[in-house]
Amino acid sequence: RYNEAVTVTGSPTLAVTNGNQGTGSGRGPHTLVYASGSGSNELVFSLAIAAANAATNADDVLTIGAQNIAKPGGATIKDTAGTASDSAVAISAGQGSDAGSITVVA
């Protein structure tokens, strides 16, 4: 969430790390792709993790950390005045239930 409406161009991505709490090690990270939200103050990023995906196991904890939004290939996130956001945006668990960590359920 932003404190004002933003306009998105291109395909920003959101990096999510994998703490590998489930069986095994060396999995993740995941890259979520911008899905929707341009023109609002809330952006949605998504990634479908298929069953038996080698990068994620049940009980792994996926974490959205600080500075995890990237804007490759000229993608932009701008406020209504046309001011571009930083190249990465800080996200913390204190910003709400949509930030922080997610435990994978089989």
Side-chain angles (χ1 to χ4, degrees):
R1 279 191 189 150
Y2 288 84
N3 64 351
E4 63 182 313
V6 294
T7 301
V8 178
T9 62
S11 298
T13 60
L14 176 65
V16 178
T17 58
N18 186 342
N20 294 304
Q21 286 81 358
T23 305
S25 64
R27 297 179 302 278
H30 296 288
T31 301
L32 286 68
V33 178
Y34 168 73
S36 65
S38 186
S40 75
N41 72 329
E42 187 170 307
L43 302 183
V44 176
F45 293 81
S46 68
L47 171 71
I49 300 175
N53 180 296
T56 307
N57 286 346
D59 299 323
D60 284 351
V61 176
L62 305 180
T63 304
I64 301 168
Q67 303 297 319
N68 284 25
I69 293 181
K71 295 181 282 186
T76 64
I77 300 174
K78 295 183 179 183
D79 67 13
T80 55
T83 305
S85 72
D86 294 336
S87 61
V89 178
I91 298 172
S92 70
Q95 290 176 303
S97 61
D98 292 334
S101 64
I102 302 162
T103 301
V104 178
V105 177

Coordinates of all heavy atoms in Angstrom, one line a residue:
R1 N 0.8 -1.2 0.0 CA 0.0 0.0 0.0 C 0.9 1.2 0.0 O 1.9 1.3 0.7 CB -0.9 0.0 1.2 CG -2.1 -0.8 1.1 CD -3.0 -0.5 2.2 NE -4.0 -1.6 2.1 CZ -4.7 -2.0 3.1 NH1 -4.5 -1.6 4.3 NH2 -5.6 -3.0 2.9
Y2 N 0.4 2.2 -0.7 CA 1.1 3.5 -0.8 C 0.1 4.5 -0.1 O -1.0 4.2 0.1 CB 1.3 4.0 -2.2 CG 2.4 3.2 -2.9 CD1 2.1 2.0 -3.5 CD2 3.7 3.7 -3.0 CE1 3.1 1.2 -4.1 CE2 4.7 3.0 -3.6 CZ 4.4 1.8 -4.2 OH 5.4 1.1 -4.8
N3 N 0.7 5.7 0.3 CA -0.2 6.7 1.0 C -1.0 7.5 0.0 O -1.7 8.4 0.4 CB 0.7 7.5 1.9 CG 1.7 8.4 1.1 OD1 1.9 8.2 -0.1 ND2 2.4 9.3 1.8
E4 N -0.9 7.2 -1.3 CA -1.7 7.9 -2.3 C -1.7 7.0 -3.6 O -1.0 6.0 -3.6 CB -1.0 9.2 -2.7 CG 0.4 9.1 -3.3 CD 1.0 10.4 -3.7 OE1 0.3 11.3 -4.2 OE2 2.2 10.6 -3.3
A5 N -2.6 7.3 -4.5 CA -2.7 6.5 -5.7 C -1.4 6.6 -6.5 O -0.7 7.6 -6.5 CB -3.9 7.0 -6.5
V6 N -1.1 5.5 -7.1 CA 0.1 5.4 -8.0 C -0.3 4.8 -9.4 O -1.3 4.1 -9.5 CB 1.2 4.5 -7.4 CG1 1.8 5.2 -6.1 CG2 0.8 3.1 -7.1
T7 N 0.5 5.1 -10.4 CA 0.3 4.6 -11.7 C 1.5 3.7 -12.0 O 2.6 4.1 -11.9 CB 0.2 5.7 -12.7 OG1 -0.9 6.6 -12.4 CG2 0.0 5.2 -14.1
V8 N 1.2 2.5 -12.5 CA 2.2 1.5 -12.8 C 2.3 1.4 -14.3 O 1.3 1.2 -15.0 CB 1.9 0.2 -12.2 CG1 2.9 -0.9 -12.5 CG2 1.8 0.3 -10.7
T9 N 3.6 1.4 -14.8 CA 3.8 1.0 -16.2 C 4.8 -0.2 -16.2 O 5.6 -0.3 -15.3 CB 4.4 2.2 -17.0 OG1 5.6 2.6 -16.5 CG2 3.4 3.3 -17.1
G10 N 4.7 -1.0 -17.2 CA 5.6 -2.1 -17.3 C 5.3 -3.2 -16.3 O 4.1 -3.3 -15.9
S11 N 6.3 -4.0 -15.9 CA 6.0 -5.2 -15.1 C 6.9 -5.2 -13.8 O 7.9 -5.9 -13.8 CB 6.2 -6.5 -15.9 OG 5.3 -6.5 -16.9
P12 N 6.7 -4.4 -12.8 CA 7.5 -4.5 -11.6 C 7.3 -5.9 -11.0 O 6.4 -6.6 -11.2 CB 6.9 -3.4 -10.7 CG 5.9 -2.6 -11.5 CD 5.6 -3.4 -12.7
T13 N 8.3 -6.2 -10.2 CA 8.3 -7.5 -9.5 C 8.6 -7.4 -8.0 O 9.1 -6.3 -7.6 CB 9.4 -8.5 -10.1 OG1 10.7 -7.9 -9.9 CG2 9.1 -8.8 -11.6
L14 N 8.2 -8.4 -7.3 CA 8.3 -8.4 -5.8 C 9.1 -9.6 -5.4 O 8.6 -10.7 -5.7 CB 7.0 -8.3 -5.1 CG 7.0 -8.4 -3.6 CD1 7.7 -7.2 -3.0 CD2 5.5 -8.5 -3.1
A15 N 10.2 -9.5 -4.8 CA 11.0 -10.7 -4.4 C 10.6 -11.2 -3.1 O 10.4 -10.4 -2.1 CB 12.5 -10.3 -4.4
V16 N 10.4 -12.5 -2.9 CA 10.0 -13.1 -1.7 C 11.0 -14.2 -1.4 O 11.3 -15.1 -2.2 CB 8.6 -13.8 -1.8 CG1 8.2 -14.5 -0.6 CG2 7.5 -12.7 -2.2
T17 N 11.6 -14.1 -0.2 CA 12.6 -15.1 0.2 C 12.0 -16.3 0.8 O 10.9 -16.3 1.4 CB 13.7 -14.5 1.1 OG1 13.0 -14.0 2.3 CG2 14.4 -13.4 0.4
N18 N 12.7 -17.5 0.8 CA 12.2 -18.7 1.4 C 13.1 -19.1 2.5 O 14.3 -19.3 2.3 CB 12.2 -19.8 0.3 CG 11.5 -21.1 0.8 OD1 11.4 -21.3 2.1 ND2 11.1 -21.9 -0.1
G19 N 12.6 -19.2 3.8 CA 13.4 -19.5 4.9 C 13.7 -21.0 5.0 O 14.5 -21.4 5.9
N20 N 13.2 -21.8 4.1 CA 13.5 -23.3 4.1 C 13.2 -24.0 5.4 O 13.9 -24.9 5.8 CB 14.9 -23.5 3.6 CG 15.2 -23.1 2.2 OD1 14.5 -23.5 1.3 ND2 16.1 -22.2 2.0
Q21 N 12.1 -23.6 6.1 CA 11.8 -24.3 7.3 C 11.2 -25.7 7.1 O 11.3 -26.5 8.0 CB 10.7 -23.4 8.1 CG 11.3 -22.2 8.7 CD 11.4 -21.0 7.8 OE1 11.1 -21.1 6.6 NE2 11.9 -19.9 8.3
G22 N 10.7 -26.0 5.9 CA 10.2 -27.3 5.7 C 11.3 -28.3 5.4 O 12.5 -27.9 5.6
T23 N 11.0 -29.5 5.1 CA 12.0 -30.5 4.8 C 12.9 -30.2 3.7 O 12.4 -29.7 2.6 CB 11.3 -31.9 4.5 OG1 10.4 -32.2 5.6 CG2 12.2 -33.0 4.4
G24 N 14.2 -30.3 3.9 CA 15.2 -30.0 2.8 C 15.7 -28.6 3.0 O 15.4 -27.9 3.9
S25 N 16.5 -28.1 2.0 CA 17.1 -26.8 2.1 C 17.4 -26.3 0.7 O 17.3 -27.1 -0.3 CB 18.4 -26.8 2.9 OG 19.3 -27.7 2.3
G26 N 17.8 -25.1 0.6 CA 18.2 -24.5 -0.7 C 17.1 -24.2 -1.7 O 17.3 -24.2 -2.9
R27 N 15.9 -23.9 -1.2 CA 14.8 -23.5 -2.1 C 14.6 -22.0 -2.1 O 15.0 -21.3 -1.3 CB 13.5 -24.2 -1.5 CG 13.7 -25.7 -1.6 CD 12.4 -26.4 -1.0 NE 12.1 -26.0 0.3 CZ 12.6 -26.5 1.4 NH1 13.5 -27.4 1.3 NH2 12.2 -26.1 2.6
G28 N 13.8 -21.6 -3.1 CA 13.4 -20.2 -3.3 C 14.6 -19.4 -3.8 O 15.7 -20.0 -4.1
P29 N 14.6 -18.1 -3.9 CA 13.4 -17.3 -3.6 C 12.4 -17.3 -4.8 O 12.6 -18.0 -5.8 CB 14.1 -15.9 -3.6 CG 15.2 -16.0 -4.5 CD 15.7 -17.4 -4.4
H30 N 11.3 -16.6 -4.6 CA 10.3 -16.5 -5.6 C 10.2 -15.0 -6.1 O 10.5 -14.1 -5.3 CB 8.9 -16.9 -5.1 CG 8.9 -18.3 -4.6 ND1 8.8 -19.3 -5.5 CD2 8.8 -18.9 -3.4 CE1 8.8 -20.5 -4.9 NE2 8.8 -20.2 -3.6
T31 N 9.8 -14.9 -7.3 CA 9.6 -13.5 -7.9 C 8.1 -13.4 -8.3 O 7.7 -14.1 -9.1 CB 10.5 -13.3 -9.1 OG1 11.9 -13.4 -8.7 CG2 10.3 -11.9 -9.6
L32 N 7.4 -12.5 -7.6 CA 6.0 -12.3 -7.9 C 5.9 -11.2 -8.9 O 6.7 -10.2 -8.8 CB 5.3 -11.9 -6.6 CG 5.0 -13.0 -5.6 CD1 6.3 -13.5 -4.9 CD2 4.0 -12.6 -4.6
V33 N 5.0 -11.3 -9.8 CA 4.8 -10.3 -10.9 C 3.6 -9.4 -10.6 O 2.6 -9.9 -10.1 CB 4.6 -11.1 -12.2 CG1 4.4 -10.1 -13.4 CG2 5.8 -12.0 -12.5
Y34 N 3.8 -8.1 -10.9 CA 2.7 -7.2 -10.8 C 1.5 -7.7 -11.5 O 1.5 -8.1 -12.6 CB 3.1 -5.8 -11.3 CG 2.0 -4.9 -11.5 CD1 1.4 -4.3 -10.4 CD2 1.5 -4.6 -12.7 CE1 0.4 -3.4 -10.5 CE2 0.4 -3.7 -12.9 CZ -0.2 -3.1 -11.7 OH -1.2 -2.2 -11.8
A35 N 0.3 -7.7 -10.8 CA -0.9 -8.2 -11.3 C -2.0 -7.1 -11.6 O -2.6 -7.1 -12.6 CB -1.5 -9.3 -10.4
S36 N -2.1 -6.1 -10.6 CA -3.1 -5.1 -10.7 C -2.9 -4.0 -9.7 O -2.1 -4.1 -8.8 CB -4.5 -5.7 -10.6 OG -4.7 -6.2 -9.2
G37 N -3.7 -3.0 -9.8 CA -3.7 -1.9 -8.8 C -3.4 -0.5 -9.3 O -3.5 0.5 -8.6
S38 N -2.9 -0.4 -10.6 CA -2.6 0.9 -11.1 C -3.8 1.8 -11.0 O -4.9 1.5 -11.3 CB -2.1 0.8 -12.5 OG -1.6 2.1 -13.0
G39 N -3.5 3.1 -10.5 CA -4.6 4.0 -10.3 C -5.2 4.0 -8.9 O -6.0 4.8 -8.5
S40 N -4.7 3.1 -8.0 CA -5.1 3.0 -6.6 C -3.9 3.1 -5.7 O -2.8 3.3 -6.2 CB -5.8 1.7 -6.4 OG -4.9 0.6 -6.3
N41 N -4.1 3.0 -4.4 CA -2.9 3.0 -3.5 C -2.5 1.6 -3.1 O -1.6 1.5 -2.2 CB -3.2 3.9 -2.3 CG -4.2 3.2 -1.4 OD1 -5.0 2.5 -1.8 ND2 -4.0 3.5 -0.1
E42 N -3.1 0.6 -3.7 CA -2.7 -0.8 -3.3 C -2.4 -1.6 -4.5 O -3.2 -1.8 -5.4 CB -3.9 -1.4 -2.5 CG -3.6 -2.7 -1.9 CD -4.7 -3.2 -1.0 OE1 -5.1 -2.4 -0.1 OE2 -5.2 -4.3 -1.2
L43 N -1.2 -2.1 -4.6 CA -0.7 -2.9 -5.7 C -0.8 -4.4 -5.3 O -0.6 -4.8 -4.2 CB 0.7 -2.6 -6.1 CG 0.9 -1.1 -6.5 CD1 2.4 -0.9 -6.9 CD2 0.0 -0.6 -7.6
V44 N -1.1 -5.2 -6.3 CA -1.2 -6.7 -6.1 C -0.2 -7.3 -7.0 O 0.0 -7.1 -8.2 CB -2.6 -7.2 -6.5 CG1 -2.7 -8.7 -6.4 CG2 -3.7 -6.6 -5.7
F45 N 0.6 -8.2 -6.3 CA 1.6 -9.0 -7.0 C 1.2 -10.5 -6.8 O 0.7 -10.8 -5.8 CB 3.0 -8.8 -6.4 CG 3.5 -7.4 -6.7 CD1 3.1 -6.3 -5.9 CD2 4.4 -7.2 -7.7 CE1 3.6 -5.0 -6.1 CE2 4.9 -5.9 -7.9 CZ 4.5 -4.8 -7.1
S46 N 1.5 -11.3 -7.8 CA 1.0 -12.7 -7.6 C 2.0 -13.7 -8.2 O 2.8 -13.4 -9.1 CB -0.3 -12.9 -8.3 OG -0.2 -12.8 -9.7
L47 N 1.9 -15.0 -7.7 CA 2.6 -16.1 -8.2 C 1.9 -17.3 -7.8 O 1.6 -17.5 -6.6 CB 4.1 -16.1 -7.6 CG 4.9 -17.4 -7.9 CD1 5.3 -17.5 -9.4 CD2 6.1 -17.5 -7.0
A48 N 1.6 -18.2 -8.7 CA 1.0 -19.5 -8.4 C 2.1 -20.5 -8.2 O 2.9 -20.7 -9.1 CB 0.0 -19.9 -9.5
I49 N 2.1 -21.1 -7.0 CA 3.1 -22.1 -6.7 C 2.4 -23.5 -6.9 O 1.5 -23.8 -6.1 CB 3.7 -22.0 -5.3 CG1 4.3 -20.6 -5.2 CG2 4.7 -23.1 -5.0 CD1 4.8 -20.3 -3.8
A50 N 2.8 -24.2 -7.9 CA 2.2 -25.5 -8.2 C 2.6 -26.6 -7.2 O 3.6 -26.5 -6.5 CB 2.7 -26.0 -9.6
A51 N 1.8 -27.6 -7.1 CA 2.1 -28.7 -6.2 C 3.4 -29.4 -6.6 O 3.7 -29.4 -7.8 CB 0.9 -29.7 -6.3
A52 N 4.1 -29.9 -5.7 CA 5.4 -30.5 -5.9 C 6.5 -29.6 -6.5 O 7.4 -30.0 -7.2 CB 5.3 -31.8 -6.8
N53 N 6.3 -28.3 -6.3 CA 7.3 -27.3 -6.8 C 8.6 -27.5 -6.0 O 8.6 -27.5 -4.8 CB 6.7 -25.9 -6.6 CG 7.7 -24.8 -7.1 OD1 8.7 -24.7 -6.5 ND2 7.2 -24.1 -8.1
A54 N 9.7 -27.6 -6.7 CA 11.0 -27.9 -6.0 C 11.5 -26.7 -5.3 O 12.3 -26.8 -4.4 CB 12.0 -28.3 -7.1
A55 N 10.9 -25.5 -5.5 CA 11.4 -24.3 -4.8 C 10.6 -24.0 -3.5 O 11.0 -23.1 -2.7 CB 11.2 -23.0 -5.7
T56 N 9.6 -24.8 -3.2 CA 8.8 -24.5 -2.0 C 8.3 -25.8 -1.4 O 7.7 -26.7 -2.2 CB 7.6 -23.6 -2.3 OG1 8.1 -22.4 -3.0 CG2 6.8 -23.2 -1.1
N57 N 8.4 -26.0 -0.1 CA 7.8 -27.2 0.6 C 6.8 -26.7 1.6 O 6.9 -25.6 2.1 CB 8.9 -28.0 1.2 CG 9.7 -28.8 0.2 OD1 9.3 -29.0 -0.9 ND2 10.8 -29.3 0.7
A58 N 5.9 -27.6 2.1 CA 5.0 -27.3 3.2 C 5.9 -26.9 4.4 O 7.0 -27.4 4.6 CB 4.2 -28.5 3.5
D59 N 5.4 -25.9 5.1 CA 6.0 -25.3 6.3 C 7.1 -24.3 6.0 O 7.7 -23.8 7.0 CB 6.5 -26.4 7.3 CG 5.4 -27.3 7.8 OD1 4.3 -26.7 8.0 OD2 5.6 -28.5 8.0
D60 N 7.5 -24.1 4.8 CA 8.5 -23.1 4.5 C 7.8 -21.7 4.8 O 6.6 -21.6 4.8 CB 8.8 -23.0 3.0 CG 9.8 -24.1 2.6 OD1 10.3 -24.8 3.5 OD2 10.0 -24.3 1.4
V61 N 8.6 -20.8 5.2 CA 8.1 -19.4 5.5 C 8.6 -18.5 4.5 O 9.9 -18.3 4.3 CB 8.5 -19.0 7.0 CG1 8.1 -17.5 7.2 CG2 7.9 -19.9 8.0
L62 N 7.7 -17.9 3.7 CA 8.1 -17.0 2.7 C 8.0 -15.6 3.3 O 7.0 -15.2 3.9 CB 7.1 -17.1 1.5 CG 7.0 -18.5 0.9 CD1 6.0 -18.5 -0.3 CD2 8.3 -19.0 0.5
T63 N 9.1 -14.8 3.1 CA 9.2 -13.5 3.7 C 9.3 -12.4 2.7 O 10.2 -12.4 1.8 CB 10.4 -13.4 4.7 OG1 10.2 -14.5 5.6 CG2 10.4 -12.1 5.4
I64 N 8.5 -11.3 2.9 CA 8.6 -10.1 2.1 C 9.5 -9.2 2.9 O 9.0 -8.7 4.0 CB 7.2 -9.5 1.8 CG1 6.3 -10.5 1.1 CG2 7.4 -8.2 1.0 CD1 4.9 -10.1 1.0
G65 N 10.7 -8.9 2.5 CA 11.6 -8.1 3.2 C 11.7 -6.7 2.7 O 10.9 -6.3 1.9
A66 N 12.6 -6.0 3.3 CA 12.8 -4.6 2.9 C 13.4 -4.5 1.5 O 14.2 -5.4 1.1 CB 13.7 -3.9 3.9
Q67 N 13.1 -3.5 0.8 CA 13.6 -3.2 -0.5 C 13.5 -4.3 -1.5 O 14.4 -4.6 -2.3 CB 15.1 -2.8 -0.4 CG 15.4 -1.7 0.5 CD 14.8 -0.3 0.1 OE1 14.8 0.0 -1.1 NE2 14.2 0.4 1.0
N68 N 12.2 -4.9 -1.6 CA 12.0 -6.0 -2.5 C 11.3 -5.8 -3.7 O 11.0 -6.7 -4.5 CB 11.4 -7.1 -1.7 CG 12.3 -7.8 -0.8 OD1 13.3 -7.3 -0.3 ND2 12.0 -9.1 -0.4
I69 N 10.8 -4.5 -4.0 CA 10.2 -4.3 -5.3 C 11.2 -3.8 -6.3 O 11.9 -2.8 -6.0 CB 9.0 -3.2 -5.2 CG1 7.9 -3.8 -4.3 CG2 8.5 -2.8 -6.5 CD1 6.7 -2.8 -4.1
A70 N 11.3 -4.5 -7.4 CA 12.2 -4.1 -8.5 C 11.4 -3.7 -9.7 O 10.3 -4.1 -9.9 CB 13.1 -5.3 -8.9
K71 N 12.0 -2.8 -10.5 CA 11.3 -2.3 -11.7 C 12.2 -2.5 -12.9 O 12.9 -1.6 -13.4 CB 11.0 -0.8 -11.5 CG 10.0 -0.7 -10.4 CD 9.6 0.8 -10.1 CE 10.6 1.4 -9.4 NZ 10.4 2.8 -9.0
P72 N 12.2 -3.8 -13.4 CA 13.1 -4.1 -14.5 C 12.6 -3.6 -15.8 O 11.4 -3.3 -16.0 CB 13.1 -5.6 -14.5 CG 11.8 -6.0 -14.0 CD 11.5 -4.9 -12.9
G73 N 13.5 -3.4 -16.8 CA 13.1 -3.0 -18.1 C 12.3 -1.7 -18.3 O 11.5 -1.6 -19.1
G74 N 12.6 -0.8 -17.4 CA 12.0 0.5 -17.5 C 10.6 0.6 -16.8 O 9.9 1.6 -17.0
A75 N 10.2 -0.4 -16.1 CA 8.9 -0.3 -15.4 C 8.9 0.8 -14.4 O 10.0 1.2 -13.9 CB 8.7 -1.6 -14.6
T76 N 7.8 1.5 -14.2 CA 7.7 2.6 -13.2 C 6.6 2.5 -12.3 O 5.5 1.9 -12.6 CB 7.6 4.0 -14.0 OG1 6.4 4.0 -14.7 CG2 8.8 4.2 -15.0
I77 N 6.7 3.1 -11.1 CA 5.6 3.3 -10.2 C 5.7 4.8 -9.8 O 6.7 5.2 -9.2 CB 5.8 2.4 -8.9 CG1 5.8 1.0 -9.3 CG2 4.7 2.7 -7.9 CD1 6.1 0.0 -8.1
K78 N 4.6 5.6 -10.2 CA 4.7 7.0 -10.0 C 3.4 7.5 -9.3 O 2.3 6.9 -9.5 CB 4.7 7.7 -11.4 CG 6.0 7.5 -12.1 CD 6.1 8.3 -13.4 CE 7.4 8.0 -14.1 NZ 7.5 8.9 -15.4
D79 N 3.6 8.5 -8.5 CA 2.4 9.1 -7.8 C 1.6 10.0 -8.8 O 2.0 10.1 -10.0 CB 2.8 9.8 -6.6 CG 3.6 11.1 -6.8 OD1 3.7 11.5 -8.0 OD2 4.2 11.6 -5.9
T80 N 0.5 10.6 -8.3 CA -0.3 11.3 -9.2 C 0.3 12.6 -9.8 O -0.1 13.1 -10.8 CB -1.6 11.7 -8.5 OG1 -1.3 12.4 -7.3 CG2 -2.5 10.5 -8.2
A81 N 1.4 13.1 -9.1 CA 2.1 14.2 -9.6 C 3.2 13.8 -10.7 O 3.9 14.6 -11.2 CB 2.8 14.9 -8.5
G82 N 3.3 12.5 -10.9 CA 4.3 12.0 -11.8 C 5.7 11.7 -11.3 O 6.6 11.5 -12.0
T83 N 5.8 11.8 -9.9 CA 7.1 11.6 -9.3 C 7.3 10.1 -9.1 O 6.4 9.4 -8.6 CB 7.1 12.2 -7.9 OG1 6.8 13.6 -8.0 CG2 8.5 12.1 -7.2
A84 N 8.4 9.6 -9.6 CA 8.7 8.1 -9.5 C 9.1 7.8 -8.1 O 9.7 8.5 -7.4 CB 9.8 7.8 -10.5
S85 N 8.6 6.6 -7.7 CA 9.1 6.0 -6.4 C 10.5 5.6 -6.5 O 11.1 5.6 -7.6 CB 8.2 4.8 -6.0 OG 8.5 3.7 -6.8
D86 N 11.2 5.3 -5.4 CA 12.5 4.8 -5.4 C 12.6 3.5 -6.2 O 11.6 2.9 -6.5 CB 13.0 4.5 -4.0 CG 13.2 5.8 -3.2 OD1 13.3 6.9 -3.8 OD2 13.1 5.7 -1.9
S87 N 13.8 3.1 -6.6 CA 13.9 1.9 -7.4 C 13.5 0.7 -6.6 O 13.2 -0.4 -7.2 CB 15.4 1.7 -7.8 OG 16.2 1.6 -6.7
A88 N 13.4 0.8 -5.3 CA 12.9 -0.3 -4.5 C 12.1 0.3 -3.3 O 12.3 1.5 -3.0 CB 14.0 -1.2 -3.9
V89 N 11.1 -0.4 -2.8 CA 10.3 0.2 -1.8 C 10.4 -0.7 -0.5 O 10.3 -1.9 -0.6 CB 8.8 0.2 -2.3 CG1 7.9 0.7 -1.2 CG2 8.7 1.0 -3.5
A90 N 10.6 0.0 0.6 CA 10.7 -0.8 1.9 C 9.3 -1.3 2.3 O 8.3 -0.6 2.2 CB 11.2 0.1 3.0
I91 N 9.3 -2.6 2.7 CA 8.1 -3.2 3.2 C 8.4 -3.8 4.6 O 9.4 -4.4 4.7 CB 7.7 -4.3 2.3 CG1 7.3 -3.7 0.9 CG2 6.4 -5.1 2.8 CD1 7.1 -4.7 -0.2
S92 N 7.5 -3.6 5.5 CA 7.8 -4.3 6.8 C 6.5 -4.9 7.4 O 5.4 -4.5 7.0 CB 8.3 -3.2 7.8 OG 7.2 -2.3 8.2
A93 N 6.6 -5.8 8.3 CA 5.4 -6.5 8.9 C 4.5 -5.5 9.6 O 3.3 -5.7 9.6 CB 5.9 -7.6 9.8
G94 N 5.1 -4.4 10.1 CA 4.4 -3.4 10.8 C 3.4 -2.6 9.9 O 2.6 -1.9 10.4
Q95 N 3.5 -2.8 8.6 CA 2.7 -2.0 7.7 C 1.3 -2.7 7.4 O 0.5 -2.2 6.7 CB 3.4 -1.8 6.3 CG 4.5 -0.8 6.5 CD 5.3 -0.7 5.2 OE1 5.8 -1.6 4.6 NE2 5.4 0.5 4.7
G96 N 1.1 -3.9 8.1 CA -0.2 -4.5 7.9 C -0.1 -6.0 7.7 O 1.0 -6.5 7.5
S97 N -1.2 -6.7 7.6 CA -1.2 -8.1 7.5 C -0.8 -8.6 6.2 O -0.5 -9.8 6.0 CB -2.6 -8.6 7.9 OG -3.6 -8.1 7.0
D98 N -0.8 -7.7 5.1 CA -0.4 -8.1 3.8 C 1.1 -8.1 3.6 O 1.6 -8.4 2.5 CB -1.1 -7.3 2.8 CG -2.6 -7.5 2.7 OD1 -3.0 -8.6 3.1 OD2 -3.3 -6.6 2.4
A99 N 1.9 -7.7 4.6 CA 3.3 -7.7 4.5 C 3.9 -8.5 5.6 O 3.2 -8.8 6.6 CB 3.9 -6.2 4.7
G100 N 5.1 -9.0 5.5 CA 5.7 -9.8 6.5 C 6.0 -11.2 6.0 O 6.8 -11.3 5.1
S101 N 5.4 -12.2 6.6 CA 5.7 -13.6 6.2 C 4.4 -14.4 6.0 O 3.4 -14.1 6.5 CB 6.6 -14.3 7.2 OG 5.9 -14.4 8.4
I102 N 4.6 -15.5 5.2 CA 3.5 -16.4 4.9 C 4.0 -17.8 5.0 O 5.1 -18.1 4.5 CB 3.0 -16.2 3.4 CG1 2.6 -14.7 3.1 CG2 1.9 -17.1 3.0 CD1 2.6 -14.4 1.7
T103 N 3.3 -18.6 5.8 CA 3.7 -20.0 5.9 C 3.0 -20.8 4.8 O 1.8 -20.8 4.7 CB 3.3 -20.6 7.3 OG1 4.0 -19.8 8.3 CG2 3.8 -22.0 7.5
V104 N 3.8 -21.6 4.1 CA 3.2 -22.5 3.0 C 2.5 -23.7 3.6 O 3.0 -24.3 4.5 CB 4.4 -22.9 2.1 CG1 3.8 -23.8 1.0 CG2 5.1 -21.8 1.5
V105 N 1.3 -23.9 3.1 CA 0.5 -25.1 3.6 C 0.4 -26.0 2.4 O 0.1 -25.6 1.3 CB -0.9 -24.6 4.0 CG1 -1.8 -25.8 4.4 CG2 -0.8 -23.6 5.1
A106 N 0.6 -27.3 2.7 CA 0.5 -28.3 1.6 C -0.9 -28.5 1.2 O -1.8 -28.4 1.9 CB 1.1 -29.6 2.1

